[in-house]
Amino acid sequence: MGVESNVENSTETLLEYSSPRKTSMFLFICAEAVIFGSLFATYFVMLHHLGDGPGPKEFFKFKEIILPTILLLSSSLTWYLAEKTLHLREKGKTLFFIGLTALLALGFLSLEMIEFLKNIGEGYTLSRSPFISSYYLLVGLHGCHVLFGILWMALLLIHVKTKGSTVANHGRFVSFGIYWHFVDSVWVFIFLLLYALGQFL
Amino acid sequence: MPFFNTQIKFASDIVAANISILVILIAAVIYISLAKKWKMTWSLIRTMDHRKIGILYIAWGFIFFLRAGLDAMLMRTQLAFPNFHFWVFQGDKYDQVMTTHGTLMIFFVAMPFLIGLMNIAVPLQIGAREIAFPFFNSLSMWLFVIGGLLINMSFVMGGAPSTGWTSYVPLAVDKDIVGNGTAFYDMGVQVSGIGTIMTSINMITTILKHRAPGMGFMKIPLFTWSALITSILILFAFPVLSAALLILLFDNQFGTQIFSGEHGNPVLWQHLFWAFGHPEVYIVILPAFGVFSQVISTFASKRIFGYSSMVLSMLVIGFLSFMVWIHHMFTVGLGAFANVVFAITSMLIAVPTGIKIFNWLFTIRGGSVRFTTAMLYSLAFIPSFVIGGVTGVMQAVVPADYQYHDSYFVVAHLHYVMVGGTVFGAFSGFYYWWPKMFGYILNDKIGKWQAWTFIIGFHMTFLPMHLSGLQGMPRRTFTYLPEDGLFEFNFISTMGAYLMAISVLLFIWNVFYSYQKKSRRGVADPWDGRTMEWAVSSPSSHMRWPYLPVVRDLENLWYAKEHGNGTLPFSKKEEKRIVVEKPTIIPLLLSGGFFTISFGLIFAVPLITITGFAGTLLLMAWRSITYERSIDLYTSEQLEEAIRREEA
């Protein structure tokens, strides 16, 4: 009886603690999805506002985006492992996987910066044409989310290092997990609708 | 005088504004010092109590209400006579005052009034101890304050926004716009919008996750239902505005041309703005509907008629509100098909709204009605809002709208729904929940004077605008000619506006008068209330319930009064982990960070922007690291003990 009620109590605590958190994170994701949705819509409207700039076929280099895509999408997997190892109370592994996730994200972000700099070098600056502006806004905002995610992961590293597998840390991981998988899935849409579809427009 | 890449010209109106700001600040400091209230102020700005945060929302909203009301007075004075020259308020200055009036009234008066009332009433109505995330609640409130201050400051910092609350492009990014008006609009609304989205998340989570045991969805009081639906609308509408404002910021400050220029698309702004803007008008009316539902049912001493149809109609209104935005753009030329589809959806909204009107009427029918001030506002709302609704349906008729468009008819319509609906609802809610907020009752006699002057002034101001609009008076103009035949209408409007101003002064007087009288008789439940907020002490105490109340009926307190001695039954479940946030200054500092970011962006000083971002991120990290230290954990037993100690 004693053990049973203990288990029941701690499960209940965990549920009570992370359930409102989960709800609110999903609601936050709804808001974020609407923001990105609006920017996707803007991008598609701007497909017809090329000015004297290039069209999507000329502008997007499909081959160069494959590596960053692989980096970012695999970071979702490493994050999943980080979350699982936290639940198993394997602190060292958790720290390793958070670090790996952050590194993959950092790799993605540096490749994106290189792409931006290349674009600017070719004369495709922010204000070249409405089409290119909308591309920068959408991809740039996603990049900001990745950057924010990296900073967040740095914070999580500190939390895990100092406190280990506590209830509060489980809650933090739940929140960040939802955020990070969302950021990745936005990239899937960017990859498909901008880079891949751009080859056929 | 040069000021961060702009010039500030000290014209007479700017000097007057500066002096009045200084006088108010000095007076506030002297008052707080003399009354020895620094300690109270300090604890108030750090508070995590949903009731106090709600009061702060309303107090700041009221300050902005006075400012926006002053703008209205200036406009009405300028328009009182044909070819009139009142002070400097012609041309660009008139545009600035008009834009500030609109922007403030919608984003910084209507919304905080209603969100403030939600903060106060929703947790009490659903039997929750607190809002789900008190820290974010406080942060939302301060972000709204910062946004409002930005819009207010703009007037003395080189020019307020001057392109209307809709801020249409390409006008808004025109090089001839004086000062940084558009940037102030952009950042002010953006920052407060972030706060509003957070509030909506907070509110939905609270209502979904923190209802007292026994409260199923069909036992939620109607005000809380309206808060839930409003929050959902905010959640899906405001991000569209955020995205639109982000693009506008880039167009305005970083030289992109998405909305403007040779190749841009100005109609896209209109689509994005109204895809947000139309849900927005339901965001500010649905909570008012909720207030009326509570007030009418309480003072008719009857259960609300057709509860489930009330809930359903609100859901339908919320759903339809996302599919009508084109009716603001009938004259853009999107083609007959688009116009007809959106005309039909717009007219459809009249159906659920009509259901609500009839339900309110049937609630009153056969009840023993008590005519308190709160009830007076609710009763005045019904015919006023019906007029506003009918003119709305008139404008949904596409060919007719080509005539009404951009005329004073539209101004009349929007004020009939915004003032006749939202502001009446806010005042009704203030009189109704004032005892719960402050622990004293507002004087009913002065209240009735206030209500009648406000209602008469309101109709005097806006009824003639229908007629001047039909005569062809365009909106957003600062004067008209004697031969236009508009003088009488405008003069009556101006007189009505003054009457409303007197009424607002009466309200302030009532607050001070009643505060001194401290009418505390039966203050916990002065109206013979029906929902759970009247079962706790007034003002409601923080955390209040060591054991949560059990909900047996939609009108839980009334049920307890009918089937017992009027006290609620409480759950016997011993809770192990009740989180209580300690008061903290971080929300205020964080919003200071957002202010710094905005300031840097508005005046195009990258260094300030970067400092702001760095500060904001560091504060967020600080909050995260100190989280474990910033909360207290209680069990039910400990909380009971703590409450008993506090009361003693």
Side-chain angles (χ1 to χ4, degrees):
Chain A
M1 178 67 200
V3 177
E4 229 168 54
S5 73
N6 248 345
V7 169
E8 194 181 277
N9 271 335
S10 64
T11 327
E12 199 176 309
T13 313
L14 207 63
L15 273 181
E16 260 174 36
Y17 197 66
S18 60
S19 154
R21 240 173 197 279
K22 261 192 191 164
T23 312
S24 62
M25 263 327 267
F26 277 119
L27 293 170
F28 170 70
I29 293 306
C30 288
E32 288 268 65
V34 176
I35 292 184
F36 278 107
S38 307
L39 287 177
F40 272 112
T42 307
Y43 168 81
F44 279 106
V45 172
M46 289 304 137
L47 272 179
H48 308 291
H49 297 266
L50 300 176
D52 55 353
K57 198 164 189 173
E58 212 180 318
F59 181 66
F60 291 120
K61 293 167 195 71
F62 186 72
K63 276 182 192 145
E64 287 172 26
I65 205 65
I66 293 172
L67 178 63
T69 305
I70 291 170
L71 288 183
L72 191 65
L73 294 191
S74 50
S75 79
S76 252
L77 177 70
T78 53
W79 177 258
Y80 171 79
L81 293 173
E83 218 173 318
K84 282 293 146 199
T85 47
L86 183 81
H87 281 275
L88 296 172
R89 298 175 186 278
E90 293 178 77
K91 196 169 153 184
K93 280 187 189 167
T94 312
L95 290 174
F96 169 75
F97 281 120
I98 299 175
L100 190 59
T101 313
L103 267 182
L104 287 170
L106 210 60
F108 167 83
L109 208 58
S110 354
L111 287 174
E112 187 168 289
M113 283 313 293
I114 291 168
E115 189 199 333
F116 277 14
L117 290 175
K118 251 190 206 162
N119 284 340
I120 292 168
E122 286 170 36
Y124 301 151
T125 54
L126 177 66
S127 50
R128 172 69 185 271
S129 75
F131 166 69
I132 293 182
S133 307
S134 70
Y135 152 81
Y136 273 116
L137 269 172
L138 177 52
V139 177
L141 187 70
H142 177 264
C144 288
H145 278 75
V146 176
L147 180 64
F148 188 77
I150 294 171
L151 296 174
W152 194 344
M153 276 187 267
L155 205 58
L156 287 176
L157 266 179
I158 300 173
H159 280 307
V160 175
K161 207 165 169 63
T162 51
K163 288 161 218 152
S165 178
T166 61
V167 179
N169 272 351
H170 282 284
R172 289 188 177 107
F173 268 56
V174 165
S175 302
F176 181 77
I178 294 170
Y179 173 82
W180 194 245
H181 294 315
F182 169 73
V183 170
D184 277 5
S185 52
V186 170
W187 182 257
V188 173
F189 282 100
I190 292 179
F191 177 75
L192 289 177
L193 295 177
L194 268 63
Y195 290 89
L197 191 65
Q199 303 305 307
F200 304 103
L201 290 173
Chain B
M1 191 180 84
F3 183 81
F4 290 111
N5 311 335
T6 43
Q7 290 286 329
I8 297 180
K9 289 197 197 89
F10 284 100
S12 62
D13 57 317
I14 304 290
V15 174
N18 277 329
I19 291 173
S20 55
I21 292 169
L22 263 181
V23 168
I24 291 167
L25 280 181
I26 292 170
V29 169
I30 290 176
Y31 171 76
I32 296 176
S33 306
L34 283 183
K36 298 207 172 71
K37 294 222 160 124
W38 280 111
K39 225 177 181 169
M40 199 192 113
T41 316
W42 175 242
S43 77
L44 193 63
I45 58 177
R46 290 155 65 240
T47 187
M48 290 287 145
D49 182 349
H50 69 91
R51 175 180 65 89
K52 289 180 184 160
I53 290 171
I55 289 171
L56 281 174
Y57 256 118
I58 291 168
W60 281 100
F62 202 81
I63 291 170
F64 298 141
F65 182 51
L66 294 179
R67 160 74 209 272
L70 181 70
D71 288 336
M73 292 305 114
L74 295 172
M75 283 192 289
R76 279 323 314 172
T77 312
Q78 164 63 27
L79 285 169
F81 305 100
N83 271 337
F84 193 46
H85 274 262
F86 171 66
W87 203 357
V88 293
F89 296 103
Q90 295 87 38
D92 189 56
K93 277 278 153 106
Y94 181 89
D95 291 345
Q96 292 186 18
V97 166
M98 167 204 85
T99 304
T100 316
H101 169 79
T103 312
L104 282 180
M105 280 293 190
I106 290 186
F107 292 107
F108 300 101
V109 177
M111 302 215 38
F113 276 0
L114 298 169
I115 292 178
L117 288 176
M118 286 184 207
N119 255 306
I120 290 156
V122 165
L124 290 166
Q125 282 195 334
I126 61 173
R129 296 190 186 91
E130 244 306 338
I131 294 280
F133 305 101
F135 180 86
F136 288 110
N137 199 17
S138 166
L139 179 58
S140 305
M141 189 267 296
W142 286 113
L143 287 180
F144 136 71
V145 173
I146 289 298
L149 288 179
L150 280 170
I151 302 274
N152 272 281
M153 275 167 41
S154 59
F155 189 72
V156 294
M157 286 200 164
S162 56
T163 51
W165 82 280
T166 51
S167 199
Y168 271 13
V169 284
L171 180 63
V173 292
D174 200 279
K175 290 282 165 292
D176 295 331
I177 292 288
V178 180
N180 291 322
T182 305
F184 270 111
Y185 169 89
D186 197 298
M187 289 319 294
V189 176
Q190 183 76 285
V191 168
S192 80
I194 295 169
T196 312
I197 294 172
M198 286 198 318
T199 305
S200 77
I201 295 174
N202 226 334
M203 216 38 100
I204 299 173
T205 313
T206 309
I207 298 172
L208 290 185
K209 291 284 170 188
H210 292 269
R211 297 197 307 283
M215 182 174 272
F217 272 96
M218 291 320 261
K219 282 183 189 156
I220 298 178
L222 276 173
F223 180 69
T224 304
W225 256 118
S226 75
L228 178 63
I229 296 166
T230 304
S231 304
I232 295 171
L233 293 192
I234 292 176
L235 188 68
F236 289 102
F238 261 78
V240 183
L241 181 71
S242 301
L245 286 172
L246 180 73
I247 303 172
L248 183 67
L249 177 79
F250 272 76
D251 267 16
N252 196 33
Q253 307 290 71
F254 299 108
T256 63
Q257 295 192 324
I258 292 179
F259 290 145
S260 58
E262 233 179 299
H263 309 293
N265 187 342
V267 179
L268 180 64
W269 165 264
Q270 296 191 20
H271 278 295
L272 289 176
F273 185 85
W274 288 118
F276 143 78
H278 202 84
E280 164 73 4
V281 307
Y282 291 95
I283 289 166
V284 294
I285 196 63
L286 283 177
F289 285 176
V291 174
F292 295 129
S293 300
Q294 304 293 184
V295 168
I296 287 175
S297 141
T298 304
F299 292 112
S301 315
K302 260 182 77 187
R303 187 184 262 264
I304 192 85
F305 184 90
Y307 168 79
S308 45
S309 69
M310 284 299 238
V311 174
L312 202 65
S313 58
M314 271 198 285
L315 284 168
V316 173
I317 291 174
F319 177 70
L320 282 177
S321 72
F322 282 100
M323 27 185 63
V324 297
W325 81 92
I326 300 289
H327 72 211
H328 298 269
M329 303 162 63
F330 278 159
T331 57
V332 168
L334 298 168
F337 180 72
N339 281 2
V340 166
V341 169
F342 282 90
I344 290 169
T345 51
S346 306
M347 288 177 203
L348 273 181
I349 286 198
V351 177
T353 320
I355 291 172
K356 297 190 77 71
I357 296 278
F358 281 110
N359 280 347
W360 286 315
L361 292 177
F362 286 133
T363 307
I364 299 166
R365 183 177 180 275
S368 57
V369 180
R370 284 167 286 158
F371 288 96
T372 57
T373 313
M375 186 63 170
L376 204 57
Y377 268 113
S378 302
L379 293 177
F381 149 80
I382 294 177
S384 310
F385 195 79
V386 167
I387 296 175
V390 168
T391 53
V393 175
M394 284 168 76
Q395 288 169 78
V397 181
V398 181
D401 187 64
Y402 272 73
Q403 296 301 313
Y404 306 135
H405 192 79
D406 263 348
S407 77
Y408 258 71
F409 193 82
V410 176
V411 180
H413 161 72
L414 75 92
H415 282 91
Y416 258 85
V417 286
M418 291 276 172
V419 183
T422 308
V423 179
F424 281 16
F427 272 122
S428 185
F430 293 164
Y431 279 97
Y432 182 63
W433 279 306
W434 201 270
K436 211 36 76 186
M437 287 149 72
F438 295 101
Y440 67 94
I441 301 164
L442 284 177
N443 185 295
D444 205 45
K445 197 166 180 190
I446 306 174
K448 278 196 177 126
W449 273 95
Q450 195 259 328
W452 277 114
T453 45
F454 198 80
I455 293 159
I456 293 169
F458 159 72
H459 282 285
M460 251 175 92
T461 313
F462 299 111
L463 202 60
M465 284 186 186
H466 291 111
L467 303 171
S468 57
L470 290 177
Q471 290 264 0
M473 183 164 169
R475 69 194 282 201
R476 297 174 173 175
T477 45
F478 65 88
T479 197
Y480 50 93
L481 298 173
E483 57 266 31
D484 290 340
L486 295 167
F487 164 64
E488 293 85 350
F489 298 135
N490 275 292
F491 190 74
I492 297 170
S493 282
T494 304
M495 291 301 116
Y498 288 157
L499 192 59
M500 283 165 90
I502 292 170
S503 166
V504 172
L505 294 179
L506 270 177
F507 181 77
I508 298 172
W509 185 51
N510 194 359
V511 170
F512 283 106
Y513 176 85
S514 311
Y515 177 72
Q516 255 139 27
K517 283 271 168 184
K518 284 262 183 201
S519 165
R520 289 179 152 284
R521 204 157 47 85
V523 76
D525 183 14
W527 319 120
D528 199 7
R530 310 173 77 81
T531 39
M532 263 195 288
E533 72 263 39
W534 303 108
V536 299
S537 62
S538 286
S540 67
S541 57
H542 195 210
M543 300 310 284
R544 68 210 154 239
W545 286 310
Y547 298 92
L548 290 174
V550 174
V551 179
R552 295 177 293 182
D553 188 63
L554 162 65
E555 296 176 327
N556 203 25
L557 180 61
W558 192 255
Y559 186 89
K561 283 174 182 172
E562 298 262 276
H563 297 87
N565 59 355
T567 50
L568 298 178
F570 287 95
S571 155
K572 297 213 166 39
K573 192 186 146 201
E574 175 80 21
E575 282 172 77
K576 294 279 183 307
R577 195 188 167 91
I578 301 171
V579 180
V580 182
E581 292 257 2
K582 289 182 201 160
T584 161
I585 194 74
I586 295 178
L588 184 63
L589 294 178
L590 259 176
S591 61
F594 275 89
F595 180 83
T596 319
I597 296 171
S598 311
F599 194 90
L601 283 173
I602 290 167
F603 291 100
V605 190
L607 196 64
I608 298 181
T609 315
I610 293 166
T611 317
F613 269 115
T616 309
L617 288 175
L618 281 176
L619 275 167
M620 284 160 86
W622 177 247
R623 154 76 187 173
S624 176
I625 286 169
T626 56
Y627 174 73
E628 277 89 347
R629 268 179 278 157
S630 69
I631 54 168
D632 282 326
L633 289 177
Y634 288 95
T635 62
S636 293
E637 222 168 290
Q638 287 166 333
L639 186 63
E640 196 170 26
E641 184 61 35
I643 291 170
R644 203 177 301 135
R645 238 180 296 128
E646 210 165 287
E647 274 167 4

